[in-house]
Amino acid sequence: MTAIKESSTIQENKQYALDKCPVTFVMDKLGGYWKPIIVYHLGEGDKRYSELKRAIPAITEKMLIQHLKQLEADGLVIREAKPVVPPFVTYRLSNAGKGLMPVIEAMAAWTFKVKEGVFD
């Protein structure tokens, strides 16, 4: 993989946007199609990988693993592995991840209103 040039104009612009626009910061951490869905399901409580996969059947294993790693790296999800055979791994929201739940719940509430035609 190619290293990112730290002094490029694009990187400077991205950093400026992250510093000045809170929505850009949130989208950097939670953006994409699957991350909010994963956070939504973890908001219900701790889940094992297989439980998340069952809860989100359309996601591929590659994407679920990739996004869980990104959410963990961003401090939104905590991965806890118990040293047993077979491995027992659970995922849960960190305090920062729990702080996103009002946003996720607002998105869900908006969805129900749109489906009911409230905004027509």
Side-chain angles (χ1 to χ4, degrees), residues 86-99:
F88 188 88
V89 179
T90 57
Y91 295 91
R92 62 185 165 91
L93 293 178
S94 66
N95 287 335
K98 290 175 185 174

Side-chain angles (χ1 to χ4, degrees), residues 88-116:
F88 188 88
V89 179
T90 57
Y91 295 91
R92 62 185 165 91
L93 293 178
S94 66
N95 287 335
K98 290 175 185 174
L100 281 170
M101 286 313 297
V103 175
I104 300 296
E105 290 165 357
M107 290 168 61
W110 178 83
T111 300
F112 293 125
K113 287 180 182 177
V114 167
K115 287 183 174 185
E116 293 170 0

